[in-house]
Amino acid sequence: MMSQPPDDPSATAFPGDVSLEALVSRAERAGLSAPPVERWDPAHCGTIDMAIDAEGRWFHEGRPIDRPALARLFSSVLRREPDGGFVLVTPAEKLPIRVADAPFVAVEMSADAGRLSFRTNMGDVVEADTAHPLRFEADADGAFRPYVLVRGGLEARLTRALAFDLAQRVEERGGEAGIASGAAWFPVPLPHGADV
């Protein structure tokens, strides 16, 4: 789906862009804040066989959670611990879960007015800025794997298609490759010998 052409004819439209309004209209959690899980400090109350795979799919006892509303509910009480682990937390309970990569997947991107916003598979919408930075890891094949911070230490890995769209936005400023979103600048590590 394409966004409307920009008012500035010299601005570049990218194939994967959607309008921010379209992105928000498809986001179940847009405008909703997550529960204050960072303020809850219950004791660990056991274990649960729950996991999130590298594609952002939720599993319980090895079986996929096929009800999206249930996975979104669990995601709203997910927290990253200081040791890097992940827990589901309520005011009375804390249960560790396994996360293969990032707990969320960014599935859609908007670039309205030069600000990059992302919709996650769990219905969150987040704008890449200093409070929600983009970060990049190198894949084995030398390509970069982008992530955006959603909330409370929880990141979303961009889909491969969005990573390709984002790669088209890499520019050079002062000898450094990076991606701009509004006033924020996110350096991109390029493979040795690569040009912008």
Side-chain angles (χ1 to χ4, degrees), residues 5-18:
D7 293 332
D8 177 4
S10 66
T12 304
F14 292 90
D17 285 355
V18 297

Side-chain angles (χ1 to χ4, degrees), residues 56-145:
R57 295 177 299 225
W58 287 69
F59 292 83
H60 180 254
E61 296 181 349
R63 293 186 303 267
I65 296 176
D66 292 327
R67 293 177 45 206
L70 186 57
R72 283 192 301 274
L73 174 65
F74 285 133
S75 78
S76 72
V77 293
L78 182 64
R79 182 172 79 194
R80 184 98 187 242
E81 295 290 86
D83 67 3
F86 295 89
V87 295
L88 296 177
V89 64
T90 70
E93 299 177 308
K94 183 178 358 179
L95 298 164
I97 70 167
R98 297 178 313 281
V99 177
D101 188 3
F104 307 133
V105 177
V107 295
E108 202 168 26
M109 178 173 68
S110 168
D112 279 1
R115 298 177 184 279
L116 301 177
S117 298
F118 300 91
R119 180 176 66 85
T120 73
N121 61 325
M122 290 294 119
D124 293 284
V125 172
V126 62
E127 180 183 319
D129 56 20
T130 55
H132 304 96
L134 288 169
R135 80 173 175 88
F136 304 90
E137 287 190 9
D139 273 341
D141 61 3
F144 68 76
R145 192 171 18 147

